[in-house]
Amino acid sequence: MLDANMKTQLRAYLERLKRPVEITTFADDSSGSREMLALVEDIRSLSDKITVTAGQGGERVPSFALTTPGQDIHLTFAGVPMGHEFTSLVLALLQVGGHPPKAEQALLDQIRALKGTFRFETWFSLSCQNCPDVVQALNLMAVLNPGIEHVAIDGALFRSEVEARQVMSVPTIFLNGAPFGAGRMGAEEILAKIDSGAASRTADAINAQAPFDVLVVGGGPAGAAAAVYAARKGIRTGVVAERFGGQVLDTMAIENLISVPHTEGPKLARALETHVRDYDVQIMNGQTAAKLEETAGGFCVTLTSGASLTSTSLILATGARWRRMGVPGEEDYLNKGVAFCPHCDGPLFKGKRIAVIGGGNSGVEAAIDLAGIVTHVTLIEYDKSLRADEVLQRKLRSLSNVTILTQARTTEVKGDGTRVTGLSWEDRAGGELRELPLEGIFVQIGLVPNTEWLKGTLTLSPRGEIVVDTHGATSLPGVFAAGDCTTAPYKQIVIAMGEGAKASLAAFDHLIRLPVGEKAA
């Protein structure tokens, strides 16, 4: 199951086990079970601390549970966790085996102190780069707290449950049999939803922070670069971010980051955070900025939690998010057939009819990828012609199960109350309204900057981007900006990193030129 290189790497990891790991398998004579058993046997052969036992029955087949003698651990993988989830399996083996997790001590203490019974089920797909964050967070919680159970389920192998539970996107989480959440979540976000006092404790801790010299708002490539450059100057630096990594977390393959021939978004995001944490930087994750105000000697950023932070200078690196169509029904059917990530959610639509909205490179690439999974793809483009590179267009037109509609405007998402059943669209050439029956819609029409909270505070472009000069300075002295939220052209990771570094150097130059004693209080 595992090749020689993977076995060599895994053997080295398993040398870190501090206590025995018991694997209990639940299998039948299906191909999925044979694959799972082959994987488990490969793992067993690599460490004398691992034993394997065949279980009887089992809620799901194929599946296997991990535990260790003397510990009350409830952690199960249902399926064959390869692809993006292989890392989740390795981490689970290490943590069950007593290897200390890489997490803040306060977070580990919060997990251990949580009271109650929580049975989590996470539905993932092997091609989803967002799913491992959720799986790994809940696995860690299951290892640390006996009241928490976690089952990670490969939706491709349990399609009847996918249909019955109406799982239309991954990751999707159920808690005690009821829907809990969908999309990327870390342990902090999960705890905030189940620990009633977590939000107030976090807000109190943020309010207690002393003023910063530089506060970076946003944790993507631009924000991370800004934080590193600021910290290296020896000034008090903070980062407040909704999710560290930003839009990079939703990126599948990255092959144009100079000196790094190939990486994946989540891997790069982890590297960014690790680099920032190498310095004396206060990171406040899971927080969203809501208001910016000038104060004596600096600025105050108020968060949606009600907490606030003060700083002498600011670097805004809030990035961007998927642009929505803005038509009736779209919000009602998010994660119920309306999706944005073809790599993550595509496998859930195997054998179904779907539409891709958008004829640029992202839309055409999504249509090509999905055409290999679904029954039929309809690509809908507003303009008279597709805008994607010609090589992509040729590939798309060569596919027999793809229909291309140009001069077409989506007017409504249709559904039956629980899932998407079709869409309405207008033929812009003739004005006719038409219906298209389908089961999924993937929206690929670009990005919109996360700057709504700044309206009326500093100058924004007509597209909502923060207007910056060649130094990253905004219209508000002492406030700088970088990355996809700005007017800087070409939204690329390497450019965002450079812009973040430049904004940080400009902020430091601003600070050293302030009159002595003029700082945020």
Side-chain angles (χ1 to χ4, degrees):
M1 184 68 183
L2 301 179
D3 61 31
N5 183 51
M6 292 180 71
K7 286 183 179 180
T8 299
Q9 293 183 50
L10 183 54
R11 188 191 303 275
Y13 281 117
L14 294 179
E15 289 176 358
R16 303 176 187 179
L17 296 178
K18 299 181 182 301
R19 61 193 184 194
V21 174
E22 297 179 348
I23 303 178
T24 304
T25 61
F26 301 92
D28 54 20
D29 60 355
S30 65
S31 60
S33 288
R34 289 193 294 273
E35 287 184 27
M36 182 200 73
L37 291 174
L39 171 62
V40 170
E41 175 56 27
D42 281 350
I43 294 170
R44 187 207 61 76
S45 69
L46 299 175
S47 173
D48 58 8
K49 283 189 168 66
I50 296 177
T51 58
V52 178
T53 304
Q56 300 298 317
E59 182 178 359
R60 295 180 180 88
V61 175
S63 66
F64 59 97
L66 306 180
T67 190
T68 188
Q71 299 290 321
D72 191 11
I73 295 174
H74 307 279
L75 191 163
T76 301
F77 286 94
V80 187
M82 295 298 290
H84 289 291
E85 291 302 337
F86 185 67
T87 300
S88 300
L89 172 58
V90 174
L91 285 174
L93 288 165
L94 292 176
Q95 290 163 5
V96 171
H99 185 72
K102 291 183 179 180
E104 297 291 323
Q105 188 59 48
L107 176 65
L108 302 179
D109 292 342
Q110 184 183 357
I111 294 170
R112 291 188 178 102
L114 191 65
K115 304 298 182 184
T117 301
F118 306 91
R119 186 177 190 274
F120 287 100
E121 298 166 291
T122 302
W123 301 87
F124 67 84
S125 71
L126 298 180
S127 59
C128 170
Q129 73 267 28
N130 293 323
C131 297
D133 277 6
V134 174
V135 172
Q136 291 166 23
L138 288 168
N139 281 348
L140 173 62
M141 293 169 66
V143 170
L144 297 177
N145 190 318
I148 298 174
E149 177 182 352
H150 182 224
V151 185
I153 308 163
D154 181 359
L157 286 183
F158 297 91
R159 297 202 62 82
S160 61
E161 282 195 70
V162 166
E163 295 290 336
R165 301 262 191 126
Q166 298 181 1
V167 175
M168 303 292 288
S169 67
V170 288
T172 288
I173 310 168
F174 278 70
L175 172 58
N176 297 333
F180 175 78
R184 181 188 296 275
M185 288 189 207
E188 297 94 339
E189 296 163 279
I190 295 168
L191 285 168
K193 296 184 69 171
I194 62 177
D195 184 351
S196 58
S200 61
R201 290 195 300 272
T202 300
D204 289 343
I206 291 174
N207 283 327
Q209 290 285 339
F212 293 95
D213 294 314
V214 171
L215 177 64
V216 181
V217 184
V228 167
Y229 268 72
R232 287 174 61 86
K233 295 295 185 181
I235 58 180
R236 178 165 162 76
T237 304
V239 176
V240 60
E242 186 171 350
R243 55 175 190 162
F244 210 100
Q247 195 76 8
V248 164
L249 290 163
D250 302 324
T251 304
M252 188 66 173
I254 300 169
E255 298 176 342
N256 56 359
L257 184 58
I258 309 307
S259 84
V260 182
H262 176 84
T263 188
E264 295 176 346
K267 183 178 180 180
L268 176 60
R270 287 191 295 271
L272 291 173
E273 185 169 1
T274 298
H275 194 177
V276 173
R277 290 190 183 276
D278 282 343
Y279 295 90
D280 186 16
V281 176
Q282 182 67 43
I283 297 178
M284 294 151 284
N285 214 353
Q287 303 295 321
T288 304
K291 188 177 183 181
L292 169 59
E293 297 174 289
E294 291 189 81
T295 63
F299 305 92
C300 176
V301 175
T302 302
L303 309 176
T304 54
S305 65
S308 61
L309 295 160
T310 56
S311 183
T312 305
S313 65
L314 291 176
I315 298 174
L316 306 175
T318 50
R321 64 187 184 276
W322 294 113
R323 186 181 298 276
R324 305 282 178 85
M325 294 182 290
V327 300
E330 181 180 27
E331 293 291 328
D332 297 332
Y333 292 100
L334 287 177
N335 300 318
K336 299 177 182 178
V338 176
F340 298 90
C341 180
H343 304 295
C344 300
D345 299 333
L348 298 176
F349 292 86
K350 182 178 181 180
K352 300 184 183 297
R353 302 162 296 177
I354 64 101
V356 172
I357 313 299
N361 281 351
S362 295
V364 171
E365 287 173 355
I368 292 169
D369 287 345
L370 290 164
I373 301 171
V374 304
T375 298
H376 191 271
V377 177
T378 302
L379 186 137
I380 298 177
E381 165 58 37
Y382 183 86
D383 288 338
K384 292 182 179 180
S385 60
L386 302 184
R387 293 167 285 109
D389 295 342
E390 185 59 35
V391 63
L392 294 174
Q393 292 191 43
R394 287 198 298 269
K395 174 63 176 176
L396 183 70
R397 296 181 193 281
S398 73
L399 301 175
S400 61
N401 63 334
V402 172
T403 299
I404 299 171
L405 301 177
T406 56
Q407 287 192 278
R409 181 175 70 91
T410 304
T411 58
E412 184 178 1
V413 174
K414 299 285 191 177
D416 60 8
T418 59
R419 62 180 65 195
V420 166
T421 59
L423 62 78
S424 300
W425 63 282
E426 177 191 9
D427 181 348
R428 296 180 58 235
E432 300 92 348
L433 285 175
R434 301 182 181 179
E435 301 289 324
L436 180 65
L438 44 72
E439 290 77 39
I441 302 170
F442 287 80
V443 183
Q444 300 282 297
I445 53 176
L447 302 171
V448 58
N450 297 314
T451 58
E452 292 86 352
W453 63 289
L454 296 168
K455 288 180 180 178
T457 305
L458 43 71
T459 302
L460 302 177
S461 73
R463 296 183 60 187
E465 298 168 324
I466 302 170
V467 176
V468 293
D469 67 10
T470 55
H471 289 75
T474 72
S475 60
L476 197 58
V479 178
F480 302 83
D484 288 2
C485 65
T486 74
T487 51
Y490 311 118
K491 312 305 185 187
Q492 297 289 309
I493 292 171
V494 68
I495 292 174
M497 288 178 173
E499 292 291 310
K502 180 172 67 176
S504 190
L505 293 171
F508 180 72
D509 187 65
H510 167 79
L511 288 171
I512 62 177
R513 296 174 189 278
L514 289 176
V516 176
E518 188 173 317
K519 276 193 169 187

